[in-house]
Amino acid sequence: MAYAYDDQNIFAKILRGEIPNSTVLETDHTLAFNDIQPQAPVHVLVIPKGAYVNHDHFAAEASDAEIADYTRAIGQVCQMVSVTPGAGDGGYRLISNAGDAGVQEVPHLHVHVLGGRVLGRMLEKAD
Ligand code: AMP
């Protein structure tokens, strides 16, 4: 499958330093920053530095080093912002929206790290 990546998306601009961000963590292959419109007391976005549109693109084409770095960075962020179960606020939710059905707004892979309160059920019941 061919994945089309739009390098004018807002996260690409953040990675190029064209738009500021509130950085939580930066590693070799990953950047984590606070969401500009937080939906919970903790709302951090974790993105790979590479040009990947969503998770299945990343899983198919990223190097093992990128995948390891990204996966570990997400866990590190959870610890840094004190949402790991048993510590601080006691739990978190990871969300990665993809495509139209997933209601993805920014076409650069990102995981939302949400926490700091009880988050409620995962989805509203619907058809
Ligand atoms: P999604 O709907 O999964 O694509 O989520 C995109 C997220 O990016 C939303 O939660 C936005 O609030 C967030 N966002 C958009 N622009 C920025 C920005 N400049 N800095 C930080 N977060 C942003």
Side-chain angles (χ1 to χ4, degrees):
M1 155 139 198
Y3 293 92
Y5 180 82
D6 171 12
D7 69 3
Q8 292 307 307
N9 78 75
I10 199 143
F11 294 169
K13 291 180 180 177
I14 285 175
L15 286 166
R16 289 195 294 268
E18 296 168 10
I19 292 177
N21 74 92
S22 168
T23 299
V24 173
L25 175 69
E26 181 167 10
T27 66
D28 286 351
H29 298 291
T30 304
L31 181 67
F33 52 91
N34 289 305
D35 196 291
I36 204 165
Q37 288 188 299
Q39 295 182 40
V42 171
H43 190 169
V44 179
L45 301 171
V46 190
I47 69 173
K49 291 182 178 177
Y52 302 104
V53 72
N54 58 28
H55 186 86
D56 61 274
H57 183 195
F58 185 67
E61 297 188 3
S63 67
D64 289 355
E66 291 175 294
I67 291 170
D69 184 291
Y70 187 61
T71 303
R72 292 202 171 104
I74 293 168
Q76 201 177 335
V77 165
C78 293
Q79 293 180 342
M80 289 174 70
V81 299
S82 299
V83 293
T84 50
D89 293 312
Y92 57 86
R93 180 171 295 153
L94 305 180
I95 298 175
S96 189
N97 298 316
D100 293 340
V103 195
Q104 180 180 12
E105 291 174 18
V106 180
H108 182 111
L109 170 61
H110 51 284
V111 164
H112 298 255
V113 178
L114 295 154
R117 64 170 168 81
V118 176
L119 297 165
R121 294 182 67 85
M122 187 170 65
L123 291 174
E124 290 174 20
K125 197 168 180 197
D127 291 339

